[in-house]
Amino acid sequence: MTLEALMDALRAAPAFGHKGDIRPVMDGLAGLDSGHLPLGDDAAALADGDGFLLMAMEGFVNEFVAAEPFFAGYCGVMVNVSDIAAMGGRALAVTDALWSRGDDQSAAILAGLREAAGKYGVPLVGGHSNAHCDRPQLSVAILGRAGTLLTSFDARPGDTLMVACDLRGRFRAVGDNWDASSDAPGARLRGDLAILPGLAEDGLCRAGKDISMAGPVGTALMLLEASGVGAVLDLDALPRPPGVPLERWLRAFPSYGFVLSVAPDRAAEVTRRFRARDLAVAEVGRVTAGDRLELTLDGRRAPFWDHRITPYIGRPFSASSPPRHQGGHHA
């Protein structure tokens, strides 16, 4: 597939396009106090003593919950702990809101929640349930804490763009969900997530974001837009499971995956920490001044998106927002 055809396919992918649903919500909430950071990051950050409380929530598409109830419940914890890690934090507790047509339908969802909560070592401390709904639905909220924040707002021109992910998995039977978690031991999962707060606390990473359903390119675009910068991203350099077509991998949710903006002199140590745990990591590009994300493939280079001309989720800056590149925790 040519670079141009690949970019067209990615822009047309439903999961990539659905991130645009965030923009009108952010517009509708503009001006509200969202804590230490503007709206639009993986979690809200609330100053708390010498650190920050982190709050996040994930909701799931009804069809996914109906088709894979156990894995949907499992993902309720898995995706939330990744959001907390992407902010440089460690998870404290989760709560859930579960709707179903009865107890039998909710049992598999609850089993998935319980399995993941045990593996990730995060207590499930309560929530809401309704067993008189016409379909299964699920949302899960999380509380975490960070001593040093990673944000989406601090990428700088000249940074190295890196992608880290876990290739030790398989695609689920439904959709483009790469499952690198449900068969893994809990101790390994917890140790892999702990890399992120370690990078934050040691000043090794400038900005980061959890790879969502928008895939590595869409996630990179959200990070760049929040920071008000551009980038050149090499698709050939992306870590990818053997035998998986690039087009599918670009729209996959990887279970464990992060896009990072790293000062060039820190990239080797960041690489070492991920590889020490048998995780895939690569330098995939560089952050540039401006507002354009360009992609390269097989020696060709083309513009993919200009977030100044066409906002993706929208830049969450206002007069009361922290200035760009605030991040006093960076060396």
Side-chain angles (χ1 to χ4, degrees):
M1 181 176 286
T2 67
L3 176 58
E4 289 73 15
L6 196 62
M7 292 193 300
D8 288 342
L10 182 55
R11 293 187 194 102
F16 184 93
H18 285 173
K19 288 297 180 181
D21 295 346
I22 298 173
R23 188 167 61 253
V25 175
M26 288 176 59
D27 290 343
L29 297 176
L32 294 180
D33 184 1
S34 57
H36 183 75
L37 300 172
L39 295 169
D41 219 328
D42 286 306
L46 308 176
D48 179 57
D50 60 351
F52 301 88
L53 289 176
L54 304 174
M55 296 178 66
M57 173 179 268
E58 295 283 352
F60 297 88
V61 175
N62 291 341
E63 290 78 8
F64 169 59
V65 179
E68 288 220 79
F70 176 88
F71 191 59
Y74 190 96
C75 285
V77 175
M78 179 182 72
V79 300
N80 270 303
V81 295
S82 288
D83 282 339
I84 296 300
M87 298 290 296
R90 296 172 174 84
L92 296 177
V94 294
T95 61
D96 71 284
L98 173 60
W99 295 261
S100 68
R101 287 195 302 267
D103 293 342
D104 290 344
Q105 192 178 59
S106 65
I109 300 171
L110 288 169
L113 281 164
R114 183 168 183 160
E115 173 80 5
K119 281 195 173 189
Y120 285 102
V122 185
L124 181 59
V125 297
H128 166 83
S129 60
N130 182 340
H132 302 280
C133 190
D134 63 345
R135 71 195 73 184
Q137 300 180 76
L138 176 68
S139 63
V140 180
I142 191 165
L143 178 69
R145 197 170 195 284
T148 305
L149 284 179
L150 283 180
T151 81
S152 297
F153 307 119
D154 292 318
R156 300 181 185 177
D159 281 356
T160 298
L161 202 62
M162 304 183 72
V163 168
C165 54
D166 191 345
L167 304 184
R168 299 165 294 186
R170 58 187 171 84
F171 277 113
R172 304 286 300 188
V174 178
D176 293 311
N177 296 306
W178 179 260
D179 181 6
S181 176
S182 66
D183 292 332
R188 191 182 90 191
L189 296 174
R190 296 189 296 273
D192 292 348
L193 280 178
I195 295 174
L196 279 302
L199 295 178
E201 291 157 5
D202 294 340
L204 293 171
C205 184
R206 189 127 38 213
K209 202 160 186 66
D210 169 49
I211 296 178
S212 68
M213 296 299 294
V217 174
T219 301
L221 179 56
M222 288 188 284
L223 186 151
L224 299 171
E225 185 176 44
S227 290
V229 294
V232 179
L233 194 161
D234 182 6
L235 297 178
D236 291 306
L238 283 174
R240 177 163 46 112
V244 174
L246 179 59
E247 180 188 1
R248 187 176 192 189
W249 188 243
L250 291 181
R251 64 175 190 264
F253 170 67
S255 295
Y256 179 100
F258 300 90
V259 176
L260 307 173
S261 185
V262 178
D265 63 347
R266 308 298 174 88
E269 176 60 16
V270 171
T271 297
R272 187 195 68 78
R273 293 194 183 194
F274 284 105
R275 288 184 177 169
R277 296 195 60 81
D278 295 323
L279 293 161
V281 61
E283 299 180 23
V284 301
R286 69 181 187 279
V287 178
T288 61
D291 306 290
R292 190 162 72 173
L293 172 59
E294 297 180 290
L295 303 180
T296 67
L297 180 70
D298 295 331
R300 288 187 51 80
R301 175 170 165 174
F304 176 70
W305 200 285
D306 189 315
H307 56 76
R308 177 70 66 177
I309 296 172
T310 307
Y312 187 40
I313 67 170
R315 285 184 57 206
F317 290 102
S318 67
S320 60
S321 297
R324 192 185 304 179
H325 311 320
Q326 171 185 294
H329 54 284
H330 301 306

